[in-house]
Coordinates of all heavy atoms in Angstrom, one line a residue:
I235 N 43.0 -31.0 -7.5 CA 42.6 -29.6 -7.7 C 41.2 -29.4 -6.9 O 41.1 -28.4 -6.2 CB 42.4 -29.2 -9.2 CG1 43.7 -29.4 -9.9 CG2 41.8 -27.8 -9.3 CD1 43.6 -29.2 -11.4
N236 N 40.3 -30.3 -7.0 CA 39.0 -30.2 -6.4 C 39.0 -30.7 -5.0 O 38.6 -29.9 -4.1 CB 38.0 -31.0 -7.3 CG 37.9 -30.4 -8.7 OD1 37.9 -29.2 -8.9 ND2 37.7 -31.3 -9.6
D237 N 39.5 -31.9 -4.7 CA 39.4 -32.4 -3.4 C 40.6 -31.9 -2.5 O 40.6 -32.0 -1.3 CB 39.4 -33.9 -3.3 CG 40.6 -34.6 -4.1 OD1 41.5 -33.8 -4.4 OD2 40.6 -35.8 -4.3
K238 N 41.7 -31.5 -3.1 CA 42.8 -30.9 -2.4 C 43.5 -31.9 -1.5 O 43.9 -31.6 -0.4 CB 42.5 -29.6 -1.7 CG 42.0 -28.5 -2.6 CD 41.8 -27.2 -1.8 CE 41.3 -26.1 -2.8 NZ 41.1 -24.8 -2.1
Q239 N 43.5 -33.2 -1.8 CA 44.1 -34.2 -1.0 C 45.4 -34.7 -1.7 O 45.5 -34.8 -2.9 CB 43.1 -35.4 -0.9 CG 41.8 -35.2 -0.2 CD 42.1 -34.8 1.3 OE1 42.9 -35.4 1.9 NE2 41.4 -33.8 1.8
I240 N 46.4 -34.9 -0.9 CA 47.7 -35.3 -1.3 C 47.7 -36.8 -1.7 O 47.2 -37.6 -0.9 CB 48.8 -35.0 -0.3 CG1 49.0 -33.5 -0.2 CG2 50.1 -35.7 -0.7 CD1 50.1 -33.1 0.7
D241 N 48.2 -37.1 -2.9 CA 48.3 -38.5 -3.3 C 49.7 -38.9 -3.2 O 50.6 -38.6 -4.0 CB 47.8 -38.7 -4.7 CG 47.8 -40.1 -5.2 OD1 48.2 -41.0 -4.4 OD2 47.5 -40.4 -6.4
F242 N 50.1 -39.7 -2.1 CA 51.5 -40.0 -1.9 C 52.0 -41.1 -2.8 O 53.2 -41.4 -2.9 CB 51.6 -40.5 -0.4 CG 51.4 -39.4 0.6 CD1 50.2 -39.4 1.4 CD2 52.3 -38.4 0.7 CE1 50.0 -38.4 2.3 CE2 52.0 -37.3 1.7 CZ 50.9 -37.4 2.4
D243 N 51.1 -41.8 -3.5 CA 51.5 -42.8 -4.5 C 51.9 -42.2 -5.8 O 52.5 -42.9 -6.6 CB 50.3 -43.8 -4.7 CG 50.1 -44.6 -3.4 OD1 51.1 -45.0 -2.7 OD2 48.9 -44.9 -3.1
S244 N 51.5 -40.9 -6.0 CA 51.8 -40.3 -7.3 C 52.9 -39.2 -7.0 O 52.6 -38.1 -6.5 CB 50.6 -39.6 -7.9 OG 49.6 -40.6 -8.2
I245 N 54.1 -39.6 -7.3 CA 55.2 -38.7 -7.1 C 55.8 -38.2 -8.5 O 56.0 -39.0 -9.4 CB 56.4 -39.4 -6.4 CG1 55.8 -40.0 -5.1 CG2 57.5 -38.4 -6.1 CD1 55.3 -39.0 -4.1
K246 N 55.9 -36.9 -8.7 CA 56.3 -36.4 -10.0 C 57.4 -35.3 -9.7 O 57.4 -34.6 -8.7 CB 55.2 -35.8 -10.8 CG 54.3 -36.8 -11.4 CD 53.4 -36.2 -12.5 CE 52.6 -37.3 -13.2 NZ 51.8 -36.8 -14.3
N247 N 58.4 -35.3 -10.6 CA 59.4 -34.3 -10.5 C 58.9 -33.1 -11.2 O 58.6 -33.1 -12.4 CB 60.7 -34.8 -11.2 CG 61.9 -34.0 -11.0 OD1 62.1 -33.0 -11.6 ND2 62.7 -34.4 -10.0
S248 N 58.8 -32.0 -10.5 CA 58.2 -30.8 -11.0 C 59.0 -29.5 -10.6 O 59.8 -29.6 -9.6 CB 56.7 -30.6 -10.6 OG 56.6 -30.6 -9.2
Y249 N 58.7 -28.4 -11.3 CA 59.4 -27.2 -10.9 C 58.9 -26.7 -9.6 O 57.8 -26.9 -9.2 CB 59.1 -26.1 -12.0 CG 59.9 -26.3 -13.3 CD1 59.2 -26.8 -14.4 CD2 61.2 -26.1 -13.4 CE1 59.9 -27.0 -15.6 CE2 61.9 -26.3 -14.6 CZ 61.2 -26.7 -15.7 OH 61.9 -26.9 -16.8
L250 N 59.8 -26.0 -8.9 CA 59.5 -25.5 -7.6 C 59.2 -24.0 -7.6 O 58.5 -23.5 -6.7 CB 60.7 -25.7 -6.6 CG 61.1 -27.1 -6.3 CD1 62.4 -27.1 -5.6 CD2 60.0 -27.7 -5.4
F251 N 59.6 -23.2 -8.6 CA 59.5 -21.8 -8.6 C 59.1 -21.3 -9.9 O 59.2 -21.9 -11.0 CB 60.8 -21.1 -8.2 CG 61.4 -21.7 -6.9 CD1 62.5 -22.6 -7.0 CD2 60.9 -21.4 -5.7 CE1 63.1 -23.1 -5.8 CE2 61.4 -22.0 -4.5 CZ 62.5 -22.8 -4.6
Y252 N 58.6 -20.0 -9.9 CA 58.1 -19.3 -11.1 C 59.3 -19.0 -12.0 O 60.4 -18.9 -11.6 CB 57.5 -18.0 -10.7 CG 56.0 -18.0 -10.6 CD1 55.4 -18.2 -9.3 CD2 55.2 -17.8 -11.7 CE1 54.0 -18.2 -9.2 CE2 53.8 -17.8 -11.5 CZ 53.2 -18.0 -10.3 OH 51.8 -18.0 -10.2
N253 N 59.0 -18.9 -13.3 CA 60.0 -18.5 -14.3 C 59.9 -16.9 -14.3 O 59.4 -16.3 -13.4 CB 59.7 -19.1 -15.6 CG 58.3 -18.8 -16.2 OD1 57.6 -17.9 -15.7 ND2 57.9 -19.5 -17.2
E254 N 60.5 -16.4 -15.4 CA 60.6 -14.9 -15.5 C 59.3 -14.2 -15.7 O 59.2 -13.0 -15.7 CB 61.6 -14.5 -16.6 CG 61.0 -14.8 -18.0 CD 61.3 -16.3 -18.5 OE1 61.8 -17.0 -17.6 OE2 61.1 -16.6 -19.6
T255 N 58.2 -14.9 -15.8 CA 56.9 -14.3 -16.0 C 56.3 -13.8 -14.7 O 55.2 -13.2 -14.7 CB 55.9 -15.3 -16.7 OG1 55.7 -16.4 -15.8 CG2 56.4 -15.7 -18.0
L256 N 56.9 -14.0 -13.6 CA 56.4 -13.5 -12.3 C 56.3 -12.0 -12.3 O 57.3 -11.3 -12.7 CB 57.4 -13.9 -11.2 CG 57.0 -13.4 -9.8 CD1 55.9 -14.3 -9.2 CD2 58.2 -13.5 -8.8
P257 N 55.1 -11.5 -12.0 CA 54.9 -10.0 -12.1 C 55.5 -9.2 -11.0 O 54.8 -8.5 -10.2 CB 53.4 -9.9 -12.2 CG 52.9 -11.1 -11.3 CD 53.9 -12.2 -11.6
S258 N 56.8 -9.3 -10.8 CA 57.5 -8.6 -9.7 C 59.0 -8.5 -10.0 O 59.5 -9.3 -10.7 CB 57.3 -9.3 -8.4 OG 58.0 -8.6 -7.3
F259 N 59.6 -7.4 -9.5 CA 61.0 -7.2 -9.6 C 61.8 -8.1 -8.6 O 63.0 -8.2 -8.7 CB 61.4 -5.8 -9.4 CG 60.9 -4.9 -10.5 CD1 60.0 -3.8 -10.2 CD2 61.2 -5.0 -11.8 CE1 59.5 -3.0 -11.2 CE2 60.7 -4.2 -12.8 CZ 59.8 -3.2 -12.5
F260 N 61.1 -8.5 -7.5 CA 61.7 -9.1 -6.4 C 61.2 -10.4 -6.0 O 60.1 -10.8 -6.2 CB 61.6 -8.1 -5.2 CG 61.8 -6.7 -5.5 CD1 60.8 -5.8 -5.5 CD2 63.1 -6.2 -5.7 CE1 61.0 -4.4 -5.8 CE2 63.4 -4.9 -6.0 CZ 62.3 -4.0 -6.1
R261 N 62.2 -11.2 -5.4 CA 61.8 -12.5 -4.8 C 62.7 -12.6 -3.5 O 63.7 -13.2 -3.5 CB 62.2 -13.7 -5.7 CG 61.6 -13.6 -7.1 CD 62.0 -14.8 -8.0 NE 61.6 -14.6 -9.4 CZ 61.2 -15.6 -10.2 NH1 61.1 -16.8 -9.7 NH2 60.8 -15.3 -11.4
R262 N 62.2 -11.9 -2.5 CA 63.0 -11.7 -1.3 C 62.8 -12.9 -0.4 O 62.0 -12.9 0.5 CB 62.5 -10.4 -0.6 CG 62.6 -9.1 -1.5 CD 62.4 -7.9 -0.7 NE 62.2 -6.7 -1.5 CZ 63.1 -5.9 -2.0 NH1 64.4 -6.1 -1.8 NH2 62.7 -4.8 -2.7
L263 N 63.7 -13.9 -0.5 CA 63.7 -15.0 0.4 C 64.4 -14.6 1.7 O 65.1 -13.6 1.8 CB 64.5 -16.2 -0.2 CG 66.0 -16.1 -0.4 CD1 66.5 -17.5 -0.8 CD2 66.5 -15.0 -1.3
T264 N 64.2 -15.4 2.7 CA 64.7 -15.0 4.1 C 65.0 -16.2 4.9 O 64.4 -17.3 4.7 CB 63.7 -14.1 4.8 OG1 64.3 -13.6 6.0 CG2 62.5 -14.9 5.2
V265 N 65.9 -16.0 5.9 CA 66.2 -17.1 6.9 C 65.7 -16.6 8.2 O 65.7 -15.4 8.5 CB 67.7 -17.3 6.9 CG1 68.1 -18.5 7.8 CG2 68.3 -17.5 5.5
S266 N 65.2 -17.6 9.0 CA 64.7 -17.2 10.4 C 65.8 -16.7 11.2 O 67.0 -16.9 11.0 CB 64.1 -18.5 11.0 OG 65.1 -19.5 11.2
P267 N 65.5 -15.9 12.2 CA 66.6 -15.2 13.1 C 67.5 -16.2 13.7 O 68.6 -15.9 14.0 CB 65.7 -14.5 14.1 CG 64.4 -14.2 13.5 CD 64.2 -15.4 12.6
C268 N 67.0 -17.5 14.0 CA 67.8 -18.5 14.6 C 68.6 -19.3 13.5 O 69.5 -20.1 13.9 CB 67.0 -19.5 15.4 SG 65.7 -20.3 14.4
G269 N 68.3 -19.1 12.3 CA 69.0 -19.8 11.2 C 68.4 -21.2 10.9 O 69.0 -22.0 10.1
S270 N 67.3 -21.6 11.6 CA 66.8 -23.0 11.4 C 66.0 -23.2 10.1 O 65.9 -24.3 9.6 CB 65.9 -23.3 12.6 OG 66.7 -23.3 13.8
L271 N 65.3 -22.1 9.6 CA 64.4 -22.2 8.5 C 64.8 -21.3 7.4 O 65.2 -20.2 7.6 CB 63.0 -21.9 9.0 CG 62.4 -22.8 10.1 CD1 61.0 -22.3 10.5 CD2 62.3 -24.2 9.7
L272 N 64.7 -21.8 6.2 CA 64.8 -21.0 5.0 C 63.4 -20.9 4.3 O 62.9 -22.0 3.9 CB 65.8 -21.6 4.0 CG 65.9 -20.9 2.6 CD1 66.4 -19.5 2.7 CD2 66.8 -21.7 1.7
C273 N 62.9 -19.8 4.2 CA 61.5 -19.6 3.5 C 61.7 -18.9 2.2 O 62.3 -17.8 2.1 CB 60.6 -18.7 4.4 SG 60.3 -19.5 6.0
V274 N 61.2 -19.6 1.1 CA 61.5 -19.1 -0.3 C 60.1 -18.8 -0.9 O 59.2 -19.6 -1.0 CB 62.2 -20.2 -1.1 CG1 62.6 -19.7 -2.4 CG2 63.4 -20.8 -0.3
P275 N 60.0 -17.5 -1.4 CA 58.8 -17.1 -2.1 C 58.8 -17.5 -3.6 O 59.7 -18.2 -4.0 CB 58.8 -15.6 -1.9 CG 60.3 -15.3 -1.9 CD 61.0 -16.4 -1.3
A276 N 57.8 -17.0 -4.3 CA 57.7 -17.3 -5.7 C 57.6 -18.8 -6.0 O 58.1 -19.2 -7.1 CB 58.8 -16.6 -6.5
G277 N 57.1 -19.6 -5.1 CA 57.0 -21.0 -5.3 C 55.7 -21.4 -6.1 O 54.7 -20.7 -6.1
I278 N 55.8 -22.6 -6.7 CA 54.6 -23.2 -7.4 C 54.5 -24.6 -6.9 O 55.5 -25.3 -6.6 CB 54.7 -23.1 -8.9 CG1 56.0 -23.7 -9.4 CG2 54.6 -21.7 -9.4 CD1 56.1 -23.8 -10.9
Y279 N 53.3 -25.1 -6.9 CA 53.0 -26.5 -6.5 C 52.1 -27.1 -7.5 O 51.0 -26.6 -7.8 CB 52.4 -26.5 -5.1 CG 52.4 -27.9 -4.5 CD1 53.3 -28.2 -3.5 CD2 51.5 -28.9 -4.8 CE1 53.4 -29.5 -2.9 CE2 51.5 -30.1 -4.3 CZ 52.4 -30.4 -3.3 OH 52.5 -31.7 -2.7
K280 N 52.5 -28.2 -8.1 CA 51.7 -28.9 -9.2 C 50.5 -29.6 -8.6 O 50.6 -30.4 -7.6 CB 52.6 -29.8 -10.0 CG 51.9 -30.4 -11.2 CD 52.9 -31.2 -12.0 CE 52.3 -31.6 -13.4 NZ 53.2 -32.4 -14.2
T281 N 49.3 -29.4 -9.2 CA 48.1 -30.0 -8.8 C 47.4 -30.6 -10.1 O 47.6 -30.1 -11.2 CB 47.1 -29.1 -8.1 OG1 46.8 -28.0 -9.1 CG2 47.7 -28.5 -6.9
E282 N 46.8 -31.7 -9.9 CA 46.0 -32.3 -11.0 C 45.0 -33.3 -10.5 O 45.1 -33.8 -9.4 CB 47.0 -33.1 -11.9 CG 47.6 -34.3 -11.4 CD 48.5 -35.0 -12.4 OE1 49.2 -34.3 -13.2 OE2 48.5 -36.2 -12.3
D283 N 43.9 -33.4 -11.3 CA 42.8 -34.4 -10.9 C 43.0 -35.6 -11.7 O 43.5 -35.6 -12.9 CB 41.5 -33.8 -11.2 CG 41.1 -32.7 -10.2 OD1 41.6 -32.8 -9.1 OD2 40.3 -31.8 -10.5
K284 N 42.7 -36.8 -11.2 CA 42.9 -38.1 -11.8 C 41.5 -38.6 -12.3 O 40.5 -38.4 -11.5 CB 43.5 -39.1 -10.9 CG 45.0 -38.9 -10.8 CD 45.7 -40.1 -10.2 CE 47.2 -40.0 -10.2 NZ 47.8 -41.2 -9.7
I285 N 41.4 -39.1 -13.4 CA 40.2 -39.7 -13.9 C 40.5 -41.2 -14.3 O 41.6 -41.6 -14.5 CB 39.7 -39.0 -15.2 CG1 40.8 -39.0 -16.3 CG2 39.3 -37.6 -14.9 CD1 40.3 -38.4 -17.6
T286 N 39.4 -42.0 -14.2 CA 39.5 -43.4 -14.4 C 38.8 -43.7 -15.7 O 37.6 -43.4 -15.9 CB 39.0 -44.2 -13.3 OG1 39.6 -43.8 -12.1 CG2 39.1 -45.7 -13.5
N287 N 39.5 -44.4 -16.7 CA 38.8 -44.7 -18.0 C 38.1 -46.0 -17.9 O 38.0 -46.6 -16.8 CB 39.9 -44.7 -19.1 CG 41.0 -45.6 -18.8 OD1 40.9 -46.6 -18.0 ND2 42.2 -45.3 -19.4
E288 N 37.6 -46.5 -19.0 CA 36.8 -47.7 -19.1 C 37.6 -48.9 -18.6 O 37.0 -49.9 -18.2 CB 36.2 -47.9 -20.5 CG 35.3 -46.8 -20.9 CD 34.8 -46.9 -22.3 OE1 35.3 -47.9 -23.0 OE2 34.0 -46.1 -22.8
T289 N 38.9 -48.9 -18.8 CA 39.7 -50.1 -18.4 C 40.2 -50.0 -17.0 O 41.2 -50.7 -16.7 CB 40.9 -50.2 -19.4 OG1 41.7 -49.0 -19.4 CG2 40.4 -50.4 -20.8
N290 N 39.6 -49.1 -16.2 CA 40.0 -48.9 -14.8 C 41.5 -48.4 -14.7 O 42.1 -48.7 -13.6 CB 39.8 -50.2 -14.0 CG 38.3 -50.5 -13.9 OD1 37.5 -49.6 -13.8 ND2 38.0 -51.8 -13.8
Q291 N 42.0 -47.8 -15.6 CA 43.3 -47.2 -15.6 C 43.2 -45.7 -15.3 O 42.5 -45.0 -16.0 CB 44.1 -47.5 -16.8 CG 44.4 -49.0 -17.1 CD 45.2 -49.2 -18.3 OE1 45.4 -48.3 -19.1 NE2 45.7 -50.4 -18.5
S292 N 43.9 -45.3 -14.3 CA 43.9 -43.8 -14.0 C 44.8 -43.0 -14.9 O 45.9 -43.5 -15.2 CB 44.2 -43.6 -12.5 OG 45.6 -44.1 -12.3
S293 N 44.4 -41.9 -15.2 CA 45.3 -41.0 -16.0 C 45.1 -39.5 -15.4 O 44.1 -39.2 -14.8 CB 44.9 -41.0 -17.4 OG 43.5 -40.6 -17.6
S294 N 46.1 -38.7 -15.7 CA 46.1 -37.4 -15.2 C 45.2 -36.4 -16.1 O 45.2 -36.6 -17.3 CB 47.5 -36.8 -15.1 OG 48.2 -37.6 -14.2
N295 N 44.6 -35.5 -15.4 CA 43.8 -34.6 -16.2 C 43.8 -33.2 -15.5 O 43.9 -33.2 -14.2 CB 42.4 -35.1 -16.3 CG 41.5 -34.3 -17.3 OD1 42.1 -33.7 -18.2 ND2 40.2 -34.2 -17.0
N296 N 43.6 -32.1 -16.2 CA 43.5 -30.8 -15.6 C 44.7 -30.4 -14.7 O 44.6 -30.1 -13.6 CB 42.2 -30.7 -14.8 CG 41.0 -30.9 -15.7 OD1 41.0 -30.6 -16.8 ND2 39.9 -31.4 -15.0
Q297 N 45.9 -30.5 -15.3 CA 47.1 -30.2 -14.6 C 47.1 -28.6 -14.4 O 47.0 -27.9 -15.3 CB 48.3 -30.7 -15.3 CG 48.4 -32.2 -15.3 CD 49.7 -32.7 -15.9 OE1 50.6 -31.9 -16.2 NE2 49.8 -34.0 -16.1
E298 N 47.4 -28.2 -13.2 CA 47.6 -26.8 -12.9 C 48.7 -26.6 -11.9 O 49.2 -27.5 -11.3 CB 46.3 -26.3 -12.3 CG 45.1 -26.2 -13.2 CD 43.8 -25.6 -12.6 OE1 44.0 -25.2 -11.4 OE2 42.8 -25.6 -13.2
Y299 N 49.1 -25.3 -11.8 CA 50.1 -24.9 -10.8 C 49.5 -23.9 -9.9 O 49.0 -22.9 -10.3 CB 51.4 -24.4 -11.5 CG 52.2 -25.4 -12.2 CD1 52.1 -25.7 -13.5 CD2 53.2 -26.1 -11.5 CE1 52.8 -26.7 -14.1 CE2 54.0 -27.1 -12.1 CZ 53.8 -27.4 -13.4 OH 54.6 -28.3 -14.0
C300 N 49.7 -24.1 -8.6 CA 49.2 -23.2 -7.6 C 50.3 -22.4 -7.0 O 51.5 -22.9 -7.0 CB 48.3 -23.8 -6.5 SG 49.2 -25.0 -5.5
N301 N 50.1 -21.2 -6.5 CA 51.1 -20.4 -5.8 C 51.5 -21.0 -4.5 O 50.6 -21.5 -3.7 CB 50.7 -19.0 -5.6 CG 50.3 -18.4 -7.0 OD1 51.0 -18.3 -7.9 ND2 49.0 -17.9 -7.1
A302 N 52.7 -21.0 -4.1 CA 53.2 -21.6 -2.8 C 54.4 -20.9 -2.3 O 55.1 -20.1 -3.0 CB 53.5 -23.1 -3.1
V303 N 54.7 -21.2 -1.0 CA 55.9 -20.8 -0.4 C 56.6 -22.1 0.1 O 55.9 -22.9 0.8 CB 55.7 -19.9 0.8 CG1 57.0 -19.8 1.7 CG2 55.2 -18.5 0.4
H304 N 57.8 -22.4 -0.2 CA 58.5 -23.6 0.2 C 59.5 -23.3 1.3 O 60.2 -22.3 1.3 CB 59.3 -24.1 -1.0 CG 58.5 -24.6 -2.2 ND1 57.4 -25.4 -2.0 CD2 58.5 -24.2 -3.5 CE1 56.8 -25.6 -3.2 NE2 57.5 -24.9 -4.1
I305 N 59.5 -24.2 2.3 CA 60.3 -24.0 3.5 C 61.3 -25.2 3.6 O 60.9 -26.3 3.5 CB 59.4 -23.9 4.8 CG1 58.4 -22.8 4.6 CG2 60.2 -23.8 6.0 CD1 57.4 -22.7 5.8
Y306 N 62.5 -24.8 3.9 CA 63.6 -25.8 4.0 C 64.2 -25.7 5.4 O 64.2 -24.6 6.0 CB 64.7 -25.5 3.0 CG 64.3 -25.8 1.6 CD1 63.6 -24.8 0.9 CD2 64.5 -27.0 0.9 CE1 63.2 -25.0 -0.4 CE2 64.1 -27.2 -0.4 CZ 63.4 -26.2 -1.1 OH 63.0 -26.4 -2.4
T307 N 64.7 -26.8 5.9 CA 65.3 -26.8 7.3 C 66.8 -26.7 7.1 O 67.4 -27.1 6.1 CB 64.9 -28.0 8.0 OG1 65.3 -29.2 7.2 CG2 63.4 -28.1 8.3
R308 N 67.4 -26.3 8.2 CA 68.9 -26.1 8.2 C 69.6 -27.4 8.0 O 70.7 -27.5 7.4 CB 69.3 -25.4 9.5 CG 70.8 -25.2 9.5 CD 71.2 -24.4 10.8 NE 72.6 -23.9 10.6 CZ 72.9 -22.8 10.0 NH1 72.0 -22.1 9.5 NH2 74.2 -22.5 9.8
G309 N 69.0 -28.5 8.6 CA 69.6 -29.8 8.5 C 69.9 -30.2 7.1 O 70.8 -31.0 6.8
A310 N 69.0 -29.8 6.1 CA 69.2 -30.2 4.7 C 70.5 -29.7 4.1 O 71.1 -30.3 3.3 CB 68.0 -29.6 3.9

Side-chain angles (χ1 to χ4, degrees):
I235 299 175
N236 297 323
D237 57 8
K238 297 184 179 180
Q239 294 296 318
I240 289 184
D241 183 2
F242 295 108
D243 293 322
S244 299
I245 308 299
K246 285 195 176 182
N247 192 276
S248 57
Y249 286 108
L250 293 170
F251 309 105
Y252 265 92
N253 57 15
E254 67 274 7
T255 60
L256 179 73
S258 175
F259 296 118
F260 313 109
R261 307 179 188 217
R262 304 191 195 269
L263 72 171
T264 189
V265 186
S266 61
C268 60
S270 300
L271 303 175
L272 170 66
C273 298
V274 188
I278 55 176
Y279 195 101
K280 190 173 184 178
T281 61
E282 66 177 39
D283 286 334
K284 285 193 171 183
I285 58 174
T286 304
N287 55 25
E288 297 178 355
T289 59
N290 292 328
Q291 294 181 350
S292 61
S293 60
S294 299
N295 189 31
N296 297 331
Q297 295 185 3
E298 292 182 4
Y299 287 93
C300 64
N301 303 302
V303 169
H304 297 307
I305 301 177
Y306 294 84
T307 55
R308 183 176 192 83

